[in-house]
């Protein structure tokens, strides 16, 4: 018996240790749920690997008394995670794609974009207003949102309402809504509410165009870490990838960000990618919206084998054919140029100045 035990121990010592992939994430419950879903997919694809989740707080998690658009920092929810990537403390980081700027710091890339959930916004009402709509809320009711994009669009449609900044993670914002009397309703991303399992709080999404990348998860890696790039490549969802390349190219070419109201809507149908983009003044009174389309066939993964590696709007997708990616990027740039030719730059410049002044 003891002889067998020694032999087993020796075999265990000699067997190769399981490689551990370290995954960085924010500490919030939603971030953990999102990261767990990505890790579960990776585990299914790579049963021989171990995954360790490392959670950390970001600047955006710590500064909760200021509207996001006022902080003037493009990487509010990503900087600390990128530092950990840079110092090789983690191998990959899971983000909400809408938190990732269209220009990433040197040395980083988005190595995967996962299948998108519902990208629309949802209205969540204070318990005493359940059954209402934004249209039927009393005059001067206060609606909370952390987004200039949502406020500008909704202010235009519902001038009888007041829109005020509300900060914090999803749990915090819902608690502020339910326990305080300040807000009659708040606007949140449907995808986050769904991932948290709070389907019962979602009331019909208002007809808002959404933020670039909303509803999709992005996996950020070191741009030169070929091993990890290959590993996360299985997570790419081709349709989501192409829609988000078009959206990010549109935003980048407009030089938009979270300090100006820019929104999009994309759809794939019968080999056509439709992109609608819009810009608004802060109060929603001035706006330009246009739609363009391009013929793009959603490719299967690995169809043409690995491609060359230059990033498109911060994204590396070597296992997706290059042609459709370039077509999606060109669609975003063309739509941005159309809006710029119709006066979008002036609207955005004024919005930026007003936002900075307040």
């Amino acid at each position: 018996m003891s002889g067998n035990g020694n032999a087993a121990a020796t075999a265990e010592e000699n067997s190769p240790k399981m490689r551990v992939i370290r995954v960085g994430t924010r500490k919030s419950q939603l971030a953990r749920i999102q990261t767990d879903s990505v890790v579960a997919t990776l585990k299914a694809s790579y049963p021989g690997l171990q995954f360790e989740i490392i959670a950390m707080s970001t600047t955006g998690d710590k500064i909760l008394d200021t509207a996001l658009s006022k902080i003037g920092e493009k990487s509010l929810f990503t900087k600390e995670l990128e530092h950990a990537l840079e110092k090789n403390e983690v191998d990959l980081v899971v983000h909400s794609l809408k938190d990732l700027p269209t220009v990433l710091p040197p040395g980083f890339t988005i190595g995967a974009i996962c299948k998108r959930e519902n990208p629309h916004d949802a209205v969540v009402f204070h318990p005493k207003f359940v059954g209402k709509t934004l249209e039927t809320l009393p005059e001067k009711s206060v609606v909370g949102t952390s987004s200039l994009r949502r406020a500008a669009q909704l202010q235009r449609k519902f001038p009888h309402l007041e829109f005020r900044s509300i900060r914090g993670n999803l749990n915090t914002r819902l608690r502020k809504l339910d326990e305080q009397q300040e807000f009659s309703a708040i606007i949140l991303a449907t995808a986050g509410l769904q991932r948290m399992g709070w389907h019962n709080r979602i009331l019909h999404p208002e007809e808002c165009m959404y933020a670039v990348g909303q509803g999709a998860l992005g996996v950020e890696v070191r741009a030169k870490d070929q091993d990890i790039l290959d590993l996360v490549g299985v997570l790419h969802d081709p349709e989501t990838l192409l829609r988000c390349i078009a959206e990010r190219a549109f935003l980048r070419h407009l030089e938009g960000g979270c300090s100006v109201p820019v929104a999009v809507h994309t759809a794939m149908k019968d080999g056509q990618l439709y992109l609608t983009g819009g810009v608004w003044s802060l109060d929603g009174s001035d706006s330009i919206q246009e739609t363009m389309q391009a013929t793009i066939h959603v490719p299967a993964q690995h169809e043409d084998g690995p491609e060359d590696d230059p990033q498109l709007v911060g994204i590396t997708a070597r296992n997706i054919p290059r042609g459709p990616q370039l077509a999606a990027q060109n669609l975003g740039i063309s739509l941005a140029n159309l809006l710029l030719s119709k006066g979008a730059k002036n609207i955005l410049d004024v919005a930026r100045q007003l936002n900075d002044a307040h």
Side-chain angles (χ1 to χ4, degrees), residues 24-40:
T25 178
R26 288 166 62 195
K27 281 183 174 171
S28 76
Q29 185 185 356
L30 176 59
R32 291 302 301 263
I33 287 170
Q34 293 177 167
T35 302
D36 287 347
S37 74
V38 168
V39 167

Side-chain angles (χ1 to χ4, degrees), residues 140-306:
K140 300 286 184 203
S141 292
V142 176
V143 177
T145 173
S146 58
S147 156
L148 291 177
R149 167 190 63 81
R150 291 171 182 150
Q153 290 182 78
L154 293 172
Q155 217 160 321
R156 186 184 177 101
K157 290 181 179 176
F158 305 104
H160 69 293
L161 301 176
E162 287 183 16
F163 292 87
R164 233 173 257 168
S165 173
I166 184 170
R167 290 291 320 285
N169 60 39
L170 273 187
N171 307 59
T172 305
R173 280 185 262 177
L174 281 173
R175 197 165 54 247
K176 283 180 181 175
L177 172 68
D178 290 344
E179 295 175 8
Q180 299 170 11
Q181 298 305 311
E182 182 181 358
F183 298 103
S184 301
I186 58 177
I187 316 292
L188 299 167
T190 300
L193 290 163
Q194 287 178 334
R195 289 182 185 126
M196 295 285 270
W198 292 334
H199 304 269
N200 63 324
R201 297 302 302 260
I202 300 173
L203 287 165
H204 75 108
E206 292 303 322
E207 291 307 305
C208 252
M209 281 160 58
Y210 40 83
V212 165
Q214 184 159 310
L217 301 179
V219 180
E220 190 176 18
V221 302
R222 291 178 289 273
K224 289 193 163 64
D225 195 338
Q226 203 51 60
D227 198 19
I228 297 293
L229 266 169
D230 291 343
L231 181 95
V232 301
V234 300
L235 297 166
H236 268 307
D237 177 67
E239 179 176 320
T240 303
L241 169 76
L242 296 174
R243 288 171 61 189
C244 290
I245 285 176
E247 292 173 18
R248 286 172 64 83
F250 170 72
L251 181 66
R252 180 196 275 189
H253 203 67
L254 278 180
E255 296 184 350
C258 70
S259 62
V260 288
V262 175
V264 293
H265 180 279
T266 47
M268 275 288 211
K269 196 177 175 190
D270 302 328
Q272 296 287 310
L273 174 56
Y274 296 86
L275 171 64
T276 301
V279 300
W280 286 261
S281 58
L282 287 189
D283 65 358
S285 61
D286 205 0
S287 73
I288 304 173
Q289 293 171 57
E290 293 290 345
T291 301
M292 292 181 82
Q293 68 195 78
T295 301
I296 298 177
H297 293 287
V298 178
Q301 274 202 338
H302 310 295
E303 196 177 82
D304 293 353

Side-chain angles (χ1 to χ4, degrees), residues 68-86:
L68 289 178
S69 58
K70 303 281 186 214
I71 302 172
E73 168 63 68
K74 276 189 181 168
S75 49
L76 279 178
F77 296 107
T78 59
K79 189 189 278 182
E80 285 77 5
L81 295 160
E82 284 171 344
H83 281 171
L85 255 184
E86 192 172 27

Side-chain angles (χ1 to χ4, degrees), residues 115-149:
K115 188 171 175 61
R116 190 177 217 164
E117 296 225 15
N118 185 331
H120 290 277
D121 294 321
V123 187
V124 183
F125 289 91
H126 187 282
K128 72 181 177 191
F129 290 120
V130 168
K132 292 273 191 191
T133 63
L134 289 180
E135 203 162 0
T136 59
L137 277 178
E139 189 85 18
K140 300 286 184 203
S141 292
V142 176
V143 177
T145 173
S146 58
S147 156
L148 291 177
R149 167 190 63 81

